[in-house]
Amino acid sequence: MPTVNPRRWWALVVLATAQFMVIMDTSIIGVALPEMQRDLGFSPGDLQWVFNAYVIAFGGLLLLGGRLSDLLGARRVFTAGWAVLIAGSVVAAAAQTAWVEVLGRAVQGVGGALIAPSAMTLLMVLFAHDPRELGKAMALYGAAAPAGGTAGVFLGGVFTEWLSWPWVFVIYIPIGLATLAATGLLPAVAPRRGAVDVLGAATVTAGLALAVFAVVRAPEAGWGSAQTLLELGGAVALLALFFVVQKTVRRPLMPLGIWRVPRLGSANLAMTLLGAAWIPMWYFLNLYLQQVLGYGAFASGAALLPMTGLLMVFMTAITARLLGRFGAKPLIGGGLLVLAAGLLWLSAVEPTGTFAADVLPASLVAALGMSLAYIPAMMAAMSGAPQEQAGLASGIVNTTYQVGSALGLAALTALATSRGADRLGDLPALTDGFAAAFLAAAGIAAAGGVTTLVAMRRERTVPADRPREEAEEQVGV
Protein backbone atom coordinates (compact mmCIF):
# COMPACT_ATOMS: atom_id res chain seq x y z
CA MET A 1 0.00 0.00 0.00
CA PRO A 2 1.60 3.32 -1.05
CA THR A 3 2.39 5.78 1.71
CA VAL A 4 -0.08 8.68 1.87
CA ASN A 5 1.57 12.08 2.30
CA PRO A 6 -0.47 14.06 4.87
CA ARG A 7 0.69 17.36 3.37
CA ARG A 8 -0.07 16.38 -0.21
CA TRP A 9 -2.72 19.06 -0.82
CA TRP A 10 -0.41 21.81 0.41
CA ALA A 11 2.28 20.35 -1.82
CA LEU A 12 -0.19 20.51 -4.71
CA VAL A 13 -0.55 24.25 -4.11
CA VAL A 14 3.22 24.60 -4.61
CA LEU A 15 3.13 22.49 -7.79
CA ALA A 16 0.09 24.24 -9.25
CA THR A 17 1.70 27.61 -8.53
CA ALA A 18 4.77 26.46 -10.42
CA GLN A 19 2.67 25.34 -13.39
CA PHE A 20 0.75 28.64 -13.33
CA MET A 21 3.94 30.72 -13.29
CA VAL A 22 5.80 28.70 -15.93
CA ILE A 23 2.94 28.98 -18.42
CA MET A 24 2.25 32.60 -17.49
CA ASP A 25 5.84 33.36 -18.47
CA THR A 26 4.91 32.70 -22.11
CA SER A 27 2.07 35.24 -22.11
CA ILE A 28 2.74 37.98 -19.58
CA ILE A 29 5.11 39.87 -21.88
CA GLY A 30 2.54 40.27 -24.68
CA VAL A 31 1.09 43.68 -23.88
CA ALA A 32 4.49 44.93 -22.66
CA LEU A 33 6.23 44.38 -26.02
CA PRO A 34 5.63 47.87 -27.48
CA GLU A 35 7.25 49.56 -24.45
CA MET A 36 10.12 47.05 -24.48
CA GLN A 37 10.68 47.74 -28.16
CA ARG A 38 10.92 51.47 -27.53
CA ASP A 39 13.12 51.27 -24.43
CA LEU A 40 15.52 48.53 -25.58
CA GLY A 41 15.74 49.35 -29.27
CA PHE A 42 14.32 46.14 -30.75
CA SER A 43 13.68 46.17 -34.47
CA PRO A 44 10.16 45.07 -35.51
CA GLY A 45 11.53 41.78 -36.84
CA ASP A 46 13.57 40.99 -33.73
CA LEU A 47 10.95 41.89 -31.13
CA GLN A 48 9.32 38.45 -31.41
CA TRP A 49 12.45 36.89 -29.88
CA VAL A 50 11.37 38.16 -26.48
CA PHE A 51 8.66 35.50 -26.74
CA ASN A 52 10.47 32.90 -28.82
CA ALA A 53 13.70 32.83 -26.78
CA TYR A 54 11.67 31.51 -23.84
CA VAL A 55 9.61 29.05 -25.87
CA ILE A 56 12.62 27.61 -27.73
CA ALA A 57 14.63 27.06 -24.54
CA PHE A 58 11.58 25.73 -22.71
CA GLY A 59 10.34 23.40 -25.43
CA GLY A 60 13.80 22.30 -26.55
CA LEU A 61 15.01 21.31 -23.09
CA LEU A 62 11.88 19.72 -21.61
CA LEU A 63 13.00 16.21 -22.55
CA LEU A 64 16.31 16.81 -20.79
CA GLY A 65 14.44 18.23 -17.80
CA GLY A 66 12.31 15.10 -17.63
CA ARG A 67 15.36 12.84 -17.82
CA LEU A 68 17.20 14.78 -15.13
CA SER A 69 14.09 14.57 -12.96
CA ASP A 70 14.15 10.79 -13.21
CA LEU A 71 17.91 10.53 -12.62
CA LEU A 72 18.61 13.16 -9.97
CA GLY A 73 15.32 13.22 -8.08
CA ALA A 74 12.29 15.33 -8.93
CA ARG A 75 12.41 17.63 -5.90
CA ARG A 76 16.07 18.46 -6.46
CA VAL A 77 15.46 19.33 -10.14
CA PHE A 78 12.31 21.30 -9.25
CA THR A 79 14.33 23.39 -6.78
CA ALA A 80 17.15 23.95 -9.26
CA GLY A 81 14.65 25.00 -11.90
CA TRP A 82 13.23 27.73 -9.69
CA ALA A 83 16.71 29.03 -8.91
CA VAL A 84 17.42 29.28 -12.66
CA LEU A 85 14.05 30.92 -13.35
CA ILE A 86 14.67 33.55 -10.67
CA ALA A 87 18.12 34.28 -12.13
CA GLY A 88 16.66 34.71 -15.60
CA SER A 89 13.94 37.00 -14.24
CA VAL A 90 16.56 39.24 -12.61
CA VAL A 91 18.47 39.50 -15.91
CA ALA A 92 15.31 40.18 -17.94
CA ALA A 93 14.04 42.83 -15.51
CA ALA A 94 17.39 44.65 -15.37
CA ALA A 95 18.16 44.47 -19.11
CA GLN A 96 19.25 47.70 -20.78
CA THR A 97 19.87 46.25 -24.24
CA ALA A 98 17.92 43.94 -26.55
CA TRP A 99 20.39 41.06 -26.49
CA VAL A 100 20.49 40.96 -22.69
CA GLU A 101 16.69 40.85 -22.62
CA VAL A 102 16.66 37.89 -25.01
CA LEU A 103 19.34 36.17 -22.90
CA GLY A 104 17.28 36.63 -19.74
CA ARG A 105 14.23 35.17 -21.44
CA ALA A 106 16.22 32.14 -22.62
CA VAL A 107 17.48 31.53 -19.06
CA GLN A 108 13.89 31.72 -17.84
CA GLY A 109 13.02 29.05 -20.41
CA VAL A 110 15.76 26.78 -19.11
CA GLY A 111 14.32 27.11 -15.61
CA GLY A 112 10.84 26.32 -16.87
CA ALA A 113 12.13 23.21 -18.65
CA LEU A 114 13.44 21.89 -15.32
CA ILE A 115 10.32 22.82 -13.35
CA ALA A 116 7.52 21.47 -15.56
CA PRO A 117 8.43 17.75 -15.83
CA SER A 118 9.70 17.48 -12.25
CA ALA A 119 6.46 19.03 -10.97
CA MET A 120 4.42 16.43 -12.86
CA THR A 121 6.54 13.61 -11.43
CA LEU A 122 6.05 14.95 -7.90
CA LEU A 123 2.30 15.18 -8.45
CA MET A 124 2.13 11.55 -9.57
CA VAL A 125 4.17 10.48 -6.53
CA LEU A 126 1.93 12.43 -4.14
CA PHE A 127 -1.40 11.10 -5.43
CA ALA A 128 -0.65 7.69 -6.98
CA HIS A 129 -2.29 5.99 -3.98
CA ASP A 130 -5.83 6.96 -5.01
CA PRO A 131 -7.09 7.32 -8.59
CA ARG A 132 -9.91 9.63 -7.49
CA GLU A 133 -7.55 11.95 -5.64
CA LEU A 134 -5.17 11.84 -8.60
CA GLY A 135 -7.98 12.93 -10.90
CA LYS A 136 -8.84 15.87 -8.66
CA ALA A 137 -5.18 16.84 -8.33
CA MET A 138 -4.67 16.65 -12.09
CA ALA A 139 -7.75 18.85 -12.57
CA LEU A 140 -6.35 21.54 -10.27
CA TYR A 141 -2.87 21.24 -11.74
CA GLY A 142 -4.16 21.21 -15.30
CA ALA A 143 -6.36 24.25 -14.73
CA ALA A 144 -3.28 26.20 -13.64
CA ALA A 145 -1.80 26.02 -17.17
CA PRO A 146 -4.46 27.74 -19.28
CA ALA A 147 -5.30 30.01 -16.37
CA GLY A 148 -1.65 31.05 -16.21
CA GLY A 149 -1.60 31.77 -19.93
CA THR A 150 -4.71 33.91 -19.78
CA ALA A 151 -3.83 35.58 -16.48
CA GLY A 152 -0.47 36.53 -17.94
CA VAL A 153 -2.19 38.74 -20.50
CA PHE A 154 -4.24 40.41 -17.74
CA LEU A 155 -1.34 40.93 -15.33
CA GLY A 156 0.89 42.11 -18.15
CA GLY A 157 -1.68 44.81 -18.81
CA VAL A 158 -1.83 45.79 -15.16
CA PHE A 159 1.94 46.09 -14.77
CA THR A 160 2.48 47.79 -18.12
CA GLU A 161 -0.27 50.37 -17.68
CA TRP A 162 0.26 51.24 -14.01
CA LEU A 163 3.93 50.42 -13.36
CA SER A 164 6.47 49.63 -16.11
CA TRP A 165 7.42 46.67 -18.28
CA PRO A 166 10.25 45.30 -16.02
CA TRP A 167 7.56 44.40 -13.49
CA VAL A 168 6.37 41.56 -15.71
CA PHE A 169 9.67 39.89 -14.74
CA VAL A 170 10.10 41.28 -11.21
CA ILE A 171 6.92 39.47 -10.13
CA TYR A 172 8.72 36.12 -10.51
CA ILE A 173 11.38 36.96 -7.95
CA PRO A 174 9.28 37.06 -4.73
CA ILE A 175 7.03 34.24 -5.90
CA GLY A 176 10.07 32.16 -6.80
CA LEU A 177 11.69 32.76 -3.44
CA ALA A 178 8.45 31.83 -1.67
CA THR A 179 8.24 28.63 -3.72
CA LEU A 180 11.81 27.70 -2.85
CA ALA A 181 10.98 28.21 0.82
CA ALA A 182 8.01 25.84 0.46
CA THR A 183 9.83 22.96 -1.26
CA GLY A 184 10.03 21.18 2.09
CA LEU A 185 6.37 20.27 1.51
CA LEU A 186 7.34 18.20 -1.50
CA PRO A 187 8.25 14.51 -1.25
CA ALA A 188 11.86 13.44 -1.62
CA VAL A 189 12.03 11.21 -4.70
CA ALA A 190 15.03 8.91 -4.76
CA PRO A 191 17.37 9.40 -7.73
CA ARG A 192 17.86 6.54 -10.16
CA ARG A 193 21.07 5.23 -11.63
CA GLY A 194 21.81 6.29 -15.18
CA ALA A 195 23.62 8.73 -17.42
CA VAL A 196 22.59 11.85 -19.29
CA ASP A 197 22.48 11.51 -23.06
CA VAL A 198 24.33 14.71 -23.91
CA LEU A 199 24.35 14.14 -27.68
CA GLY A 200 20.65 13.36 -27.70
CA ALA A 201 19.87 16.48 -25.67
CA ALA A 202 21.99 18.62 -28.01
CA THR A 203 20.45 17.30 -31.23
CA VAL A 204 16.80 17.47 -30.14
CA THR A 205 17.21 20.94 -28.64
CA ALA A 206 19.05 22.25 -31.69
CA GLY A 207 16.55 20.63 -34.05
CA LEU A 208 13.49 22.06 -32.31
CA ALA A 209 15.13 25.47 -31.97
CA LEU A 210 16.09 25.56 -35.65
CA ALA A 211 12.58 24.50 -36.71
CA VAL A 212 10.99 27.31 -34.71
CA PHE A 213 13.64 29.76 -35.92
CA ALA A 214 12.95 28.82 -39.54
CA VAL A 215 9.20 29.29 -39.21
CA VAL A 216 9.61 32.59 -37.38
CA ARG A 217 12.02 33.96 -40.01
CA ALA A 218 10.21 32.56 -43.04
CA PRO A 219 7.83 35.52 -43.56
CA GLU A 220 10.83 37.84 -43.85
CA ALA A 221 13.10 35.54 -45.87
CA GLY A 222 10.35 33.90 -47.93
CA TRP A 223 8.87 30.45 -47.43
CA GLY A 224 10.47 29.17 -50.63
CA SER A 225 13.81 30.90 -50.17
CA ALA A 226 17.06 29.00 -49.96
CA GLN A 227 17.57 30.26 -46.40
CA THR A 228 14.22 28.91 -45.17
CA LEU A 229 14.60 25.60 -46.98
CA LEU A 230 18.11 25.11 -45.60
CA GLU A 231 16.98 25.93 -42.07
CA LEU A 232 14.01 23.56 -42.25
CA GLY A 233 16.19 20.89 -43.82
CA GLY A 234 18.74 21.33 -41.08
CA ALA A 235 16.02 20.98 -38.43
CA VAL A 236 14.77 17.76 -40.02
CA ALA A 237 18.32 16.41 -40.22
CA LEU A 238 19.03 17.20 -36.57
CA LEU A 239 15.79 15.58 -35.41
CA ALA A 240 16.50 12.52 -37.57
CA LEU A 241 19.97 12.34 -36.01
CA PHE A 242 18.34 12.52 -32.58
CA PHE A 243 16.28 9.41 -33.31
CA VAL A 244 19.36 7.61 -34.66
CA VAL A 245 21.21 8.48 -31.46
CA GLN A 246 18.30 7.21 -29.36
CA LYS A 247 18.51 3.84 -31.10
CA THR A 248 22.27 3.47 -30.70
CA VAL A 249 23.34 4.89 -27.33
CA ARG A 250 23.20 2.76 -24.21
CA ARG A 251 21.15 5.15 -22.07
CA PRO A 252 19.15 7.36 -24.43
CA LEU A 253 17.44 10.59 -23.47
CA MET A 254 14.17 9.25 -24.84
CA PRO A 255 14.08 5.44 -25.01
CA LEU A 256 12.05 4.82 -28.15
CA GLY A 257 10.29 1.97 -26.41
CA ILE A 258 8.25 4.54 -24.48
CA TRP A 259 6.24 5.11 -27.66
CA ARG A 260 4.82 1.63 -27.20
CA VAL A 261 2.90 3.01 -24.23
CA PRO A 262 -0.74 2.93 -25.35
CA ARG A 263 -2.14 6.26 -26.57
CA LEU A 264 1.09 8.17 -25.92
CA GLY A 265 1.50 9.05 -29.59
CA SER A 266 -2.10 10.07 -30.26
CA ALA A 267 -2.33 12.05 -27.01
CA ASN A 268 0.84 13.97 -27.84
CA LEU A 269 -0.42 14.73 -31.33
CA ALA A 270 -3.58 16.10 -29.74
CA MET A 271 -1.51 18.26 -27.37
CA THR A 272 0.56 19.59 -30.28
CA LEU A 273 -2.52 20.71 -32.20
CA LEU A 274 -4.19 21.99 -29.03
CA GLY A 275 -1.24 24.29 -28.36
CA ALA A 276 -1.08 25.33 -32.03
CA ALA A 277 -4.71 26.47 -31.89
CA TRP A 278 -5.08 27.81 -28.34
CA ILE A 279 -1.98 30.00 -27.97
CA PRO A 280 -2.51 31.89 -31.26
CA MET A 281 -6.14 32.40 -30.28
CA TRP A 282 -5.44 34.40 -27.12
CA TYR A 283 -2.51 36.18 -28.80
CA PHE A 284 -4.61 37.51 -31.68
CA LEU A 285 -7.65 38.05 -29.49
CA ASN A 286 -5.60 40.41 -27.33
CA LEU A 287 -4.42 42.26 -30.45
CA TYR A 288 -7.99 42.54 -31.74
CA LEU A 289 -9.14 44.00 -28.44
CA GLN A 290 -6.35 46.58 -28.36
CA GLN A 291 -5.77 47.46 -32.00
CA VAL A 292 -9.32 47.22 -33.37
CA LEU A 293 -11.69 47.73 -30.45
CA GLY A 294 -9.35 50.29 -28.86
CA TYR A 295 -8.99 48.66 -25.44
CA GLY A 296 -6.07 49.67 -23.22
CA ALA A 297 -3.61 47.18 -21.79
CA PHE A 298 -5.57 46.72 -18.56
CA ALA A 299 -8.98 46.57 -20.22
CA SER A 300 -7.88 43.98 -22.77
CA GLY A 301 -6.50 41.77 -20.01
CA ALA A 302 -9.68 42.14 -17.98
CA ALA A 303 -11.74 41.18 -21.03
CA LEU A 304 -10.10 37.75 -20.96
CA LEU A 305 -11.06 37.05 -17.35
CA PRO A 306 -14.38 35.33 -18.24
CA MET A 307 -12.37 32.73 -20.16
CA THR A 308 -10.09 32.22 -17.17
CA GLY A 309 -13.05 31.83 -14.83
CA LEU A 310 -14.70 29.24 -17.05
CA LEU A 311 -11.44 27.31 -17.40
CA MET A 312 -10.86 27.21 -13.67
CA VAL A 313 -14.42 26.20 -12.75
CA PHE A 314 -14.85 23.61 -15.49
CA MET A 315 -11.46 21.96 -15.07
CA THR A 316 -11.63 21.72 -11.30
CA ALA A 317 -15.29 20.77 -10.92
CA ILE A 318 -16.40 18.97 -14.07
CA THR A 319 -13.67 17.64 -16.37
CA ALA A 320 -12.36 15.03 -13.92
CA ARG A 321 -15.88 13.65 -13.46
CA LEU A 322 -16.45 13.50 -17.19
CA LEU A 323 -13.09 11.78 -17.63
CA GLY A 324 -14.04 9.09 -15.15
CA ARG A 325 -17.39 8.53 -16.86
CA PHE A 326 -16.56 8.74 -20.55
CA GLY A 327 -12.79 8.22 -20.80
CA ALA A 328 -10.17 10.34 -22.50
CA LYS A 329 -10.90 9.79 -26.21
CA PRO A 330 -14.32 11.51 -26.50
CA LEU A 331 -13.27 14.39 -24.27
CA ILE A 332 -10.07 15.13 -26.19
CA GLY A 333 -11.70 14.78 -29.60
CA GLY A 334 -14.88 16.57 -28.59
CA GLY A 335 -12.99 19.31 -26.77
CA LEU A 336 -10.86 20.07 -29.82
CA LEU A 337 -13.98 20.24 -31.98
CA VAL A 338 -15.66 22.61 -29.51
CA LEU A 339 -12.50 24.75 -29.53
CA ALA A 340 -12.69 24.75 -33.33
CA ALA A 341 -16.30 25.95 -33.15
CA GLY A 342 -15.32 28.85 -30.87
CA LEU A 343 -12.46 29.83 -33.16
CA LEU A 344 -14.71 29.65 -36.21
CA TRP A 345 -17.10 32.01 -34.43
CA LEU A 346 -14.20 34.37 -33.66
CA SER A 347 -13.21 34.40 -37.33
CA ALA A 348 -16.39 36.44 -37.98
CA VAL A 349 -15.07 39.46 -36.01
CA GLU A 350 -15.86 42.87 -37.51
CA PRO A 351 -13.92 46.17 -37.56
CA THR A 352 -16.95 47.76 -35.89
CA GLY A 353 -17.56 44.83 -33.54
CA THR A 354 -18.17 44.84 -29.80
CA PHE A 355 -16.86 42.76 -26.94
CA ALA A 356 -20.32 41.47 -26.00
CA ALA A 357 -21.23 40.34 -29.51
CA ASP A 358 -17.92 39.47 -31.20
CA VAL A 359 -15.64 38.29 -28.40
CA LEU A 360 -17.35 37.11 -25.23
CA PRO A 361 -19.60 34.26 -26.44
CA ALA A 362 -17.07 32.86 -28.91
CA SER A 363 -14.20 33.02 -26.41
CA LEU A 364 -16.28 31.15 -23.83
CA VAL A 365 -17.03 28.39 -26.34
CA ALA A 366 -13.31 28.14 -27.12
CA ALA A 367 -12.46 28.02 -23.41
CA LEU A 368 -15.00 25.23 -22.93
CA GLY A 369 -13.24 23.20 -25.61
CA MET A 370 -9.86 23.77 -23.98
CA SER A 371 -11.32 22.75 -20.62
CA LEU A 372 -12.57 19.47 -22.05
CA ALA A 373 -9.40 18.50 -23.91
CA TYR A 374 -6.36 19.59 -21.90
CA ILE A 375 -6.46 17.39 -18.79
CA PRO A 376 -7.64 14.20 -20.59
CA ALA A 377 -4.84 14.61 -23.13
CA MET A 378 -2.28 15.05 -20.35
CA MET A 379 -3.63 12.04 -18.47
CA ALA A 380 -3.77 9.87 -21.58
CA ALA A 381 -0.15 10.71 -22.39
CA MET A 382 1.10 9.81 -18.91
CA SER A 383 -1.24 7.18 -17.49
CA GLY A 384 0.39 4.23 -19.21
CA ALA A 385 4.02 5.09 -18.43
CA PRO A 386 5.78 3.20 -15.62
CA GLN A 387 6.72 5.33 -12.63
CA GLU A 388 10.44 5.36 -13.48
CA GLN A 389 9.57 7.05 -16.80
CA ALA A 390 7.02 9.52 -15.43
CA GLY A 391 9.41 12.43 -15.82
CA LEU A 392 10.17 11.44 -19.41
CA ALA A 393 6.49 11.10 -20.32
CA SER A 394 5.80 14.49 -18.72
CA GLY A 395 8.71 16.03 -20.62
CA ILE A 396 7.40 14.64 -23.91
CA VAL A 397 3.84 15.87 -23.47
CA ASN A 398 4.96 19.32 -22.30
CA THR A 399 7.39 19.48 -25.22
CA THR A 400 4.72 18.71 -27.78
CA TYR A 401 2.40 21.37 -26.35
CA GLN A 402 5.10 24.04 -26.28
CA VAL A 403 6.50 23.22 -29.71
CA GLY A 404 2.98 23.19 -31.12
CA SER A 405 2.36 26.58 -29.51
CA ALA A 406 5.54 28.09 -30.94
CA LEU A 407 5.10 26.70 -34.44
CA GLY A 408 1.39 27.53 -34.50
CA LEU A 409 1.96 31.10 -33.38
CA ALA A 410 4.80 31.63 -35.86
CA ALA A 411 2.84 30.21 -38.80
CA LEU A 412 -0.41 32.03 -38.00
CA THR A 413 1.46 35.29 -37.40
CA ALA A 414 2.86 34.96 -40.92
CA LEU A 415 -0.64 34.28 -42.26
CA ALA A 416 -2.20 37.19 -40.36
CA THR A 417 0.55 39.55 -41.53
CA SER A 418 0.02 38.54 -45.14
CA ARG A 419 -3.66 39.42 -44.75
CA GLY A 420 -3.06 42.88 -43.26
CA ALA A 421 -2.41 42.38 -39.54
CA ASP A 422 0.67 44.62 -39.76
CA ARG A 423 -1.25 47.69 -41.00
CA LEU A 424 -1.69 49.55 -37.74
CA GLY A 425 -4.56 52.01 -37.91
CA ASP A 426 -6.25 50.28 -40.84
CA LEU A 427 -9.07 48.59 -38.93
CA PRO A 428 -10.53 46.55 -41.83
CA ALA A 429 -7.07 45.22 -42.77
CA LEU A 430 -6.21 44.40 -39.15
CA THR A 431 -9.52 42.61 -38.71
CA ASP A 432 -9.02 40.61 -41.90
CA GLY A 433 -5.62 39.48 -40.68
CA PHE A 434 -6.87 38.45 -37.26
CA ALA A 435 -9.91 36.71 -38.75
CA ALA A 436 -7.64 34.69 -41.05
CA ALA A 437 -5.59 33.57 -38.05
CA PHE A 438 -8.73 32.55 -36.11
CA LEU A 439 -10.01 30.59 -39.11
CA ALA A 440 -6.71 28.77 -39.56
CA ALA A 441 -6.58 27.99 -35.83
CA ALA A 442 -10.10 26.57 -36.13
CA GLY A 443 -8.86 24.27 -38.89
CA ILE A 444 -5.96 23.11 -36.72
CA ALA A 445 -8.27 22.35 -33.78
CA ALA A 446 -10.78 20.56 -36.01
CA ALA A 447 -8.01 18.43 -37.52
CA GLY A 448 -6.88 17.53 -34.02
CA GLY A 449 -10.40 16.56 -32.97
CA VAL A 450 -11.04 14.35 -35.97
CA THR A 451 -7.61 12.73 -35.76
CA THR A 452 -8.11 11.94 -32.09
CA LEU A 453 -11.52 10.39 -32.60
CA VAL A 454 -10.20 8.26 -35.47
CA ALA A 455 -6.73 7.35 -34.25
CA MET A 456 -6.94 7.07 -30.46
CA ARG A 457 -7.77 3.58 -29.40
CA ARG A 458 -9.65 2.77 -26.22
CA GLU A 459 -7.21 0.17 -25.01
CA ARG A 460 -6.71 -0.10 -21.29
CA THR A 461 -3.58 1.83 -20.38
CA VAL A 462 -2.05 -0.15 -17.55
CA PRO A 463 1.27 1.09 -16.16
CA ALA A 464 3.80 -1.59 -15.36
CA ASP A 465 3.80 -0.74 -11.67
CA ARG A 466 0.06 -0.34 -11.04
CA PRO A 467 -2.79 -2.87 -10.88
CA ARG A 468 -5.10 -3.02 -13.88
CA GLU A 469 -8.19 -2.11 -11.86
CA GLU A 470 -6.58 1.07 -10.53
CA ALA A 471 -5.36 2.18 -13.93
CA GLU A 472 -8.74 1.56 -15.56
CA GLU A 473 -10.49 3.60 -12.90
CA GLN A 474 -8.00 6.43 -13.27
CA VAL A 475 -8.30 6.89 -17.04
CA GLY A 476 -11.97 6.03 -17.22
CA VAL A 477 -11.86 3.18 -19.74
Side-chain angles (χ1 to χ4, degrees), residues 4 10 32 110 133 138 140 201 245 263 311 330 340 442 457 461 470 476-477:
V4 179
W10 287 109
V110 174
E133 281 199 1
M138 282 293 297
L140 291 166
V245 170
R263 301 199 295 187
L311 285 166
R457 296 175 292 167
T461 56
E470 180 179 320
V477 297

Side-chain angles (χ1 to χ4, degrees), residues 22 50 60 85 96 186 223 230 237 287-288 365 395 461:
V22 165
V50 178
L85 182 61
Q96 299 295 313
L186 303 176
W223 286 96
L230 284 173
L287 292 180
Y288 174 74
V365 172
T461 56

Side-chain angles (χ1 to χ4, degrees), residues 256-353:
L256 298 183
I258 195 173
W259 291 101
R260 291 195 293 268
V261 170
R263 301 199 295 187
L264 181 70
S266 55
N268 274 278
L269 176 60
M271 286 295 280
T272 301
L273 298 177
L274 184 62
W278 175 258
I279 295 300
M281 184 209 75
W282 67 253
Y283 180 84
F284 288 108
L285 187 56
N286 181 60
L287 292 180
Y288 174 74
L289 289 168
Q290 290 196 54
Q291 296 178 359
V292 177
L293 299 189
Y295 282 37
F298 173 75
S300 66
L304 299 178
L305 285 179
M307 282 202 307
T308 303
L310 188 148
L311 285 166
M312 294 294 293
V313 170
F314 208 91
M315 282 189 173
T316 55
I318 300 174
T319 300
R321 296 180 182 179
L322 294 177
L323 181 62
R325 182 171 181 179
F326 298 106
K329 175 181 174 178
L331 291 185
I332 300 170
L336 280 161
L337 292 176
V338 172
L339 174 58
L343 286 162
L344 184 63
W345 194 344
L346 280 173
S347 70
V349 290
E350 297 284 347
T352 57

